[in-house]
Amino acid sequence: MGGDEFAASVPLAHPRALPWLLGGLHDEMTAPFRHAGRDLVVGASIGAALSSDLNPAVSRPDEALATLLRLADEAMYAVKRTGGGWHYPATSTPAMGTTAGRRTGRPGTHTTHRKGAT
């Protein structure tokens, strides 16, 4: 993970709660705030993955964690390409692969995302 990224593991009563959770988290992270007499706003891009997204063949906990982080990372980069917000894809496909490629064994080349860049 990069210096401006974090991961969280959250137990959900039902997967349908995920959009509510992501929307609320995004709203809280991007709410304007005042610091040292200045009004500030930050942007956030949030990707998510559910343990139910795992291939049943993934049985080792370390493989499961790596897969979930990759899926969430792919979702985050998908939303970054659209300008920010949050995203949870119903499925992950090879076309959704990230261009970050920062973790060992990950394909791709790192590119910097700038809001408004084409």
Side-chain angles (χ1 to χ4, degrees):
M1 266 182 234
D4 62 345
E5 296 177 348
F6 68 92
S9 175
V10 180
L12 294 175
H14 195 281
R16 285 182 288 200
L18 186 61
W20 174 83
L21 175 72
L22 296 176
L25 178 61
H26 187 265
D27 289 348
E28 291 297 319
M29 291 177 68
T30 60
F33 62 97
R34 191 162 188 79
H35 177 73
R38 297 180 65 190
D39 292 325
L40 302 172
V41 178
V42 297
S45 298
I46 303 171
L50 293 169
S51 58
S52 59
D53 295 333
L54 291 173
N55 180 329
V58 176
S59 58
R60 291 187 9 217
D62 59 330
E63 288 177 354
L65 177 60
T67 300
L68 287 171
L69 286 172
R70 180 182 55 78
L71 292 172
D73 199 48
E74 289 171 359
M76 180 188 67
Y77 276 92
V79 80
K80 280 183 178 244
R81 287 189 293 271
T82 64
W86 61 270
H87 184 66
Y88 168 69
T91 59
S92 179
T93 65
M96 294 172 59
T98 69
T99 57
R102 291 178 299 222
R103 291 190 248 305
T104 303
R106 300 271 314 277
T109 313
H110 181 71
T111 59
T112 304
H113 171 77
R114 289 173 284 155
K115 194 167 186 167
T118 56

